Amino acid sequence: PKDNFPKYLVVHHSAASEDQTVQSIETYHLSLGWEGVGYHFLITKTGEIWKGRPEQYHGSHVAEDSINKLSLGICLIGDFDTKYPTTEQETALMRLMTSLVANYSILPENIVPHRHFLGIPPYKSCFGKNLPHDWAKNLISSPDTLVNKTEIKKKIHDLVDLL
């Protein structure tokens, strides 16, 4: 069902081992009985953007406050409690978010880490202890941030192609 009306971009980290892949995340989410990966987008360490759920379909990435029906979930592969995102991940995230903000008229203050919805103190660190709360939002705050939407669409891989 087309039941997602994005007002937020919720950024996550996978918080898992170094050898984690898009495929292993999808396999895990399927093992939970989900219809596929719970995020709308995943970004690998090399900056590849993979499309998970269709944007108009609710995600399975934030359990609180019905946010899954008001957001797009973006997960960067890596554990940012112990490391930092790669430059390639930051660049890909910046470009993807810039495109999504333009497409959905998302306000900058609505670009948040998963922990934003998890209470105080949050029960998860997502998108990682090493990154400040406004890290993702700040990636697109520069007026010099311009994106070629066609270029982004060409770089997004579809998980359906994996199966």
Side-chain angles (χ1 to χ4, degrees):
K2 296 180 180 181
D3 60 353
N4 191 25
F5 304 95
K7 302 281 183 249
Y8 293 91
L9 294 181
V10 181
V11 182
H12 304 259
H13 69 144
S14 63
S17 67
E18 285 295 309
D19 59 346
Q20 189 176 38
T21 64
V22 170
Q23 295 86 349
S24 67
I25 292 170
E26 182 175 41
T27 299
Y28 172 66
H29 287 187
L30 287 169
S31 77
L32 297 173
W34 298 355
E35 295 177 24
V37 69
Y39 308 106
H40 296 91
F41 299 94
L42 294 109
I43 301 176
T44 68
K45 292 178 184 174
T46 61
E48 289 181 275
I49 301 170
W50 287 83
K51 187 168 185 151
R53 296 214 175 175
E55 294 166 35
Q56 68 275 9
Y57 188 78
H58 72 271
S60 290
H61 57 97
V62 178
E64 294 76 20
D65 300 327
S66 301
I67 296 302
N68 285 323
K69 293 185 178 183
L70 297 171
S71 66
L72 296 170
I74 304 169
C75 181
L76 284 80
I77 295 178
D79 183 351
F80 306 137
D81 284 337
T82 60
K83 298 195 184 242
Y84 290 91
T86 65
T87 301
E88 294 85 359
Q89 283 178 308
E90 285 190 333
T91 300
L93 178 61
M94 179 269 301
R95 291 174 176 248
L96 176 61
M97 289 189 310
T98 301
S99 178
L100 294 171
V101 163
N103 287 346
Y104 293 99
S105 300
I106 294 173
L107 300 172
E109 59 266 22
N110 289 346
I111 300 171
V112 296
H114 181 198
R115 66 181 175 236
H116 178 82
F117 299 104
L118 304 180
I120 299 174
Y123 63 85
K124 285 185 176 182
S125 68
C126 206
F127 46 64
K129 293 176 186 173
N130 281 334
L131 301 172
H133 194 80
D134 59 356
W135 168 75
K137 176 179 74 172
N138 289 342
L139 289 175
I140 64 167
S141 63
S142 168
D144 300 328
T145 306
L146 299 174
V147 168
N148 178 335
K149 290 181 186 176
T150 305
E151 177 187 324
I152 290 294
K153 287 180 181 176
K154 286 180 186 174
K155 290 184 178 183
I156 296 176
H157 304 281
D158 196 330
L159 281 173
V160 174
D161 294 340
L162 287 175
L163 301 176

